[in-house]
Amino acid sequence: MSPLLQVDGTRLAQPDGTTVRLRGAGLGGWMNMENFITGYPGNEAAMRSAVRDVLGERRYELFFDRLLTAFFGEADAALLAAKGINCVRIPVNYRHFEDDARPFEIREEGFAHLDRVVALCARHGIYTVIDLHSLPGYQNQQWHSDNPTHLALFWDHPHFQDRVVRLWEVIADRYKHNPWVAGYNPINEPADDSGRVLPAYYQRLAGAIRAVDPHHILFLDGNNYSTEFDLFDEPIENAVYTCHDYARAGFARSGGYPGETDGAWIDKQQVEEAFLRRTAYMRKTGTPVWVGEFGPVYTGDRARDEQCAALLSDQLEIYRRHEVSWSLWTYKDVGLQGMVHIAPDSAYQRHFGDFVAKKHRLGAEAWGSPNGTIRDLAAPLEHLVASEFPDFTARPFSTRQWLDVLLRHIVLGQPLVQEYAEVFRGLGNDDVLALADSFSLEQCVQRDWLLDTVADDARRGDGAH
């Protein structure tokens, strides 16, 4: 019997009628690299360009190909399967498959690692969801869409939209016969400020993909970073509308759990209320619920991390009770959120430790280092904007986060990108290979309590009947 999944009312089911509740992990930092996941500053394209200038083309390719190879291999798939993970969400950057200088020309070589990991996961009975995390023109204002600005230009330019349609036609054609691909997540965390472009564009994408592949599920993120669904009317057939459910108490700037964060009291009741609010559309339309991303940030402070563990357990209990599928963010990193992270004595940590410490001292990551020097400088600006422009609508979400993008990821990010690249200066082939191999599972530290928490959720049942 084929394991191909389909939407069946509020559930996901295999062709024989077996219900499948997806318990997943996001493969963040791999084919879409993020600064807090692998330790660089700014956005991926700027970082890669700077590192290429220092290493030269040949050694640059050697390093990044080895990093992609080491980051996820046979041992990683086996570990996840052993812990009851049955789905891996794979974020990808469009730049692997298309060059801005040659739009619409697909780079076949860009699929090599994606094909490899899809096949690896299938061998271990793990579904994959292919997630276009970075789009040409930037679908949101943040670094994780590889955006070097604070503007989401994708929604204003048909050229960018046409390129994404073409890319998804190619991806769908490539995987249309693969039943272990659970489906396609066409746009990660869209931020269409007008709210008018996204619904029609999803209809257009669905038509284009279904013309090539009529069978795979579409996993469609809500607007405003996958938190808002009011702009959608009737759901698209065989589609799952996916929310992202980050609890504020899990942010690095958290005031504790239970406790007050950003002026609001956060406890299990509030966490569940936020989840129910974000998934109201799915329950109204009788469609499945999939939490595409969630998970707290761990700071290394024992008491704080124990609170994060309690928050995670509460979220998993809520999802289990509501028979929700989920994908934890993220599988592997330098230590902030990963189920697995690089070792303190790894070649990468030894070589880049001082740089990462400087980045955190400055506060150059909105996600991983919310305080630091820049926070003290930004606070008066926040008060100034709030007092002088009380009706100003900042993107995304708040004046603080708008300033985070401008100050942390642009003002600090750009000079730090050059400094990060210079740390590669003078390294030979063996050196860059050792740095990349620091991300192999054999050299990493497993966050056992987190892996055991996931495994426990699997033992409590997956909703199958």
Side-chain angles (χ1 to χ4, degrees):
M1 177 66 67
S2 168
L4 180 69
L5 293 180
Q6 295 284 282
V7 170
D8 183 8
T10 61
R11 67 192 187 114
L12 301 176
Q14 293 176 338
D16 65 354
T18 300
T19 296
V20 175
R21 187 165 74 95
L22 297 178
R23 297 178 305 274
L27 193 52
W30 184 58
M31 286 190 74
N32 187 80
M33 294 182 181
E34 295 190 38
N35 52 34
F36 79 94
I37 295 179
T38 50
Y40 72 86
N43 67 298
E44 181 180 0
M47 176 273 292
R48 280 177 170 267
S49 177
V51 173
R52 182 189 283 110
D53 288 344
V54 169
L55 287 180
E57 187 67 29
R58 184 183 62 81
R59 195 161 288 153
Y60 163 89
E61 292 289 351
L62 179 70
F63 171 69
F64 280 99
D65 184 68
R66 184 63 158 255
L67 179 59
L68 289 170
T69 302
F71 202 96
F72 197 92
E74 188 83 41
D76 298 281
L79 173 65
L80 290 176
K83 296 300 180 179
I85 289 291
N86 63 3
C87 182
V88 170
R89 178 172 177 253
I90 305 179
V92 298
N93 190 318
Y94 80 94
R95 298 178 193 275
H96 285 281
F97 314 111
E98 187 197 58
D99 192 313
D100 285 331
R102 294 184 294 278
F104 301 102
E105 294 183 21
I106 302 300
R107 301 175 62 243
E108 171 66 22
E109 64 271 21
F111 285 96
H113 284 290
L114 182 57
D115 287 347
R116 176 179 64 83
V117 168
V118 167
L120 264 179
C121 288
R123 285 204 298 273
H124 288 270
I126 298 173
Y127 287 102
T128 47
V129 173
I130 300 171
D131 150 40
L132 191 57
H133 218 74
S134 295
L135 278 63
Y138 326 117
Q139 77 276 13
N140 62 46
Q141 300 92 352
Q142 295 278 16
W143 78 94
H144 47 72
S145 62
D146 200 7
N147 190 343
T149 79
H150 67 293
L151 302 173
L153 302 176
F154 176 83
W155 309 104
D156 298 324
H157 295 274
H159 168 77
F160 296 136
Q161 297 164 21
D162 293 348
R163 287 165 62 183
V164 169
V165 169
R166 171 58 180 152
L167 178 55
W168 271 113
E169 288 173 336
V170 172
I171 294 173
D173 187 59
R174 192 177 194 91
Y175 297 106
K176 63 185 177 183
H177 297 305
N178 192 327
W180 283 105
V181 173
Y184 312 127
N185 193 180
I187 305 177
N188 176 69
E189 295 193 344
D192 170 18
D193 288 346
S194 73
R196 294 189 295 271
V197 181
L198 180 61
Y201 191 68
Y202 271 163
Q203 292 286 346
R204 180 186 175 192
L205 269 178
I209 292 171
R210 294 272 163 78
V212 175
D213 175 359
H215 302 299
H216 277 91
I217 295 171
L218 299 180
F219 293 87
L220 303 176
D221 281 19
N223 198 27
N224 204 21
Y225 295 78
S226 206
T227 63
E228 296 177 359
F229 299 83
D230 292 345
L231 69 169
F232 301 122
D233 293 322
E234 288 298 311
I236 293 172
E237 185 179 356
N238 200 32
V240 175
Y241 289 79
T242 71
C243 83
H244 290 183
D245 194 32
Y246 289 106
R248 281 182 287 179
F251 294 165
R253 65 177 187 270
S254 168
Y257 181 78
E260 188 173 297
T261 298
D262 297 342
W265 180 263
I266 313 294
D267 56 16
K268 186 175 181 180
Q269 179 180 340
Q270 190 280 334
V271 169
E272 184 162 11
E273 288 171 354
F275 161 75
L276 292 173
R277 186 169 59 251
R278 290 168 179 168
T279 57
Y281 173 84
M282 300 73 150
R283 286 176 286 110
K284 180 181 72 174
T285 56
T287 52
V289 178
W290 186 54
V291 177
E293 289 184 22
F294 75 108
V297 174
Y298 309 106
T299 65
D301 177 89
R302 182 174 178 177
R304 165 78 175 83
D305 288 354
E306 287 177 353
Q307 292 176 342
C308 286
L311 169 62
L312 180 69
S313 293
D314 282 351
Q315 287 186 286
L316 288 173
E317 191 279 327
I318 292 166
Y319 301 158
R320 195 162 54 244
R321 181 157 31 90
H322 290 277
E323 297 186 335
V324 168
S325 293
W326 49 262
S327 181
L328 182 67
W329 193 263
T330 184
Y331 169 57
K332 185 183 287 185
D333 66 1
V334 296
L336 282 171
Q337 283 190 284
M339 303 163 79
V340 169
H341 60 83
I342 63 170
D345 61 348
S346 65
Y348 192 92
Q349 181 61 35
R350 292 197 309 270
H351 196 71
F352 286 101
D354 289 344
F355 173 83
V356 172
K358 178 177 180 178
K359 190 172 60 156
H360 289 322
R361 173 174 59 80
L362 293 173
E365 286 177 3
W367 197 247
S369 51
N371 296 311
T373 303
I374 198 65
R375 180 67 198 143
D376 295 334
L377 298 174
L381 286 175
E382 285 181 43
H383 295 307
L384 176 67
V385 172
S387 62
E388 294 290 342
F389 310 103
D391 297 325
F392 173 61
T393 302
R395 302 291 182 184
F397 303 122
S398 68
T399 299
R400 174 172 178 160
Q401 289 176 308
W402 173 68
L403 286 171
D404 276 345
V405 173
L406 294 171
L407 298 178
R408 298 177 192 273
H409 297 283
I410 299 176
V411 173
L412 290 181
Q414 290 183 5
L416 279 169
V417 162
Q418 295 181 20
E419 188 169 316
Y420 175 81
E422 283 300 320
V423 184
F424 284 89
R425 181 76 64 184
L427 297 183
N429 291 351
D430 290 344
D431 299 317
V432 299
L433 292 175
L435 294 178
D437 286 343
S438 298
F439 288 88
S440 66
L441 182 61
E442 294 79 3
Q443 295 191 34
C444 282
V445 175
Q446 297 180 26
R447 196 171 255 132
D448 290 328
W449 73 263
L450 180 52
L451 289 164
D452 290 343
T453 298
V454 169
D456 181 64
D457 184 82
R459 284 192 295 269
R460 290 171 183 246
D462 62 5
H465 50 264

